[in-house]
Amino acid sequence: LWPALLGTLGLCLTLDFLRLSVSVMQGFPALALVMVSIYLLLRLTQTRPIVNIMVVLASGICFGLSLQIKFYTLLLLPACFLHLALGNSLQDWRKPTFRRLPFALLWLGACSITAIAVGVLTHSFRATQLLGTHFDGAAQVALQREPSWQLLLMFLAQDLDYTLLAGVGIYLLFK
């Protein structure tokens, strides 16, 4: 508990925390919803089918909402689908029976319908919104400035507080 509290306090006291928190950390709500979705999928041990259906639907809705916040959570979709379709253990994967395939399809449907419905209601399916920032002229210039390793070293040299936090974290990981 103490390392987590000290690390959080140290991060909040760093020079550019506010700037980084609005640019880098916008994906946290999407990751939180994906984690809720995965947690719900891992809780599918109930013997009642109606409970399983409700849990699968709730998980799919959470995943669909996370896709509307940040689209990179789409990378986790195949893993969740395969987990639902094929089972938990390696034994389940060696002899797939596909008894759980209806649950996987129900989950994929709930996820898709949620993502599409929210996208239509909020008009977020515009190409300029989905891809515009990746091909923006300013982004192209920023990526061509210097190699990423030089940018990282410059970032660490300018903000020694991040370097200190990263060093303490790496040390504690190895310890």
Side-chain angles (χ1 to χ4, degrees), residues 123-143:
H123 306 290
S124 66
F125 285 134
R126 292 187 305 242
T128 56
Q129 184 174 357
L130 289 173
L131 301 173
T133 56
H134 299 288
F135 298 107
D136 185 286
Q140 298 290 329
V141 171
L143 291 174

Side-chain angles (χ1 to χ4, degrees), residues 46-123:
Q46 310 293 342
T47 55
R48 296 187 203 151
I50 191 70
V51 173
N52 282 341
I53 290 171
M54 298 304 287
V55 170
V56 167
L57 285 173
S59 173
I61 289 170
C62 287
F63 202 98
L65 290 173
S66 78
L67 287 175
Q68 280 299 313
I69 296 171
K70 271 305 219 185
F71 208 58
Y72 69 81
T73 57
L74 185 68
L75 295 171
L76 296 171
L77 191 135
C80 293
F81 183 81
L82 288 175
H83 168 75
L84 258 177
L86 298 177
N88 296 336
S89 68
L90 188 58
Q91 298 291 11
D92 294 340
W93 284 61
R94 286 186 181 148
K95 296 180 183 177
T97 61
F98 298 104
R99 284 181 286 149
R100 296 172 52 143
L101 188 60
F103 285 119
L105 294 174
L106 178 66
W107 177 83
L108 188 61
C111 174
S112 302
I113 289 170
T114 301
I116 290 170
V118 172
V120 167
L121 291 173
T122 60
H123 306 290

Side-chain angles (χ1 to χ4, degrees), residues 33-34 41 48 64 73 81 96 108-109 111 120 122 127 132 145 148 156 171 173:
L33 282 169
V34 163
L41 290 181
R48 296 187 203 151
T73 57
F81 183 81
L108 188 61
C111 174
V120 167
T122 60
R145 258 193 338 209
S148 61
L156 291 175
Y171 169 74
L173 281 173

